Amino acid sequence: EVQLQASGGGLVQRGGSLRLSCAVSGLIFEDHAIGWFRQAPGKEREGISCVSSAVLSTFYADSVQGRFTISRDNAKSMVYLQMDSLKPEDTAVYYCAIRRFICLPTMASSQYDYWGQGTLVTVSS
């Protein structure tokens, strides 16, 4: 059974940092790309970052470029999203998701096969 477990969310002030983690099990981790999505209240789910299976490529949405950093540890089957310079508009439920091999230039939920349960990030002003 494929499982993704996102964690690390919480309440942080504007300008602060958080690191999200996604633990993956039940498949060959090295063969898969991992994406992070977020969904704010009343808004559509947004793809914000992805790292490919061989870490040959990463993707960032314009909204997080320069502030967020995605990384993966294949030995631990973990993916991380370091979030710095957080803004109130970053408040959302954050999800990790998985697909085969590569990140596509435009992230869409339909491209991903398995999802974690989400972790809430709240940025206060």
Side-chain angles (χ1 to χ4, degrees), residues 1 3 29 34-36 46 49 51 67 74 78 104 115:
E1 180 186 5
Q3 291 188 331
F29 183 73
I34 311 295
W36 284 98
E46 173 191 18
S49 188
V51 58
R67 300 187 298 123
N74 286 346
M78 295 287 294
L104 297 179
W115 291 79

Side-chain angles (χ1 to χ4, degrees), residues 10-18 67-68 83-91 121-125:
L11 174 63
V12 64
Q13 290 187 335
R14 176 196 292 269
S17 298
L18 282 174
R67 300 187 298 123
F68 291 10
M83 306 188 297
D84 299 317
S85 302
L86 282 163
K87 306 175 182 178
E89 51 263 45
D90 293 319
T91 295
V121 173
T122 303
V123 184
S124 65
S125 56

Side-chain angles (χ1 to χ4, degrees), residues 53-125:
S53 59
V55 203
L56 295 177
S57 66
T58 56
F59 164 84
Y60 297 96
D62 289 344
S63 56
V64 305
Q65 178 75 49
R67 300 187 298 123
F68 291 10
T69 304
I70 193 170
S71 61
R72 64 187 291 160
D73 184 337
N74 286 346
K76 296 181 179 179
S77 297
M78 295 287 294
V79 174
Y80 306 98
L81 187 69
Q82 177 66 40
M83 306 188 297
D84 299 317
S85 302
L86 282 163
K87 306 175 182 178
E89 51 263 45
D90 293 319
T91 295
V93 177
Y94 284 70
Y95 300 89
C96 55
I98 197 164
R99 70 184 308 278
R100 294 297 299 275
F101 300 125
I102 64 171
C103 302
L104 297 179
T106 56
M107 292 182 69
S109 298
S110 59
Q111 300 165 357
Y112 289 76
D113 302 311
Y114 299 96
W115 291 79
Q117 84 291 357
T119 185
L120 176 62
V121 173
T122 303
V123 184
S124 65
S125 56

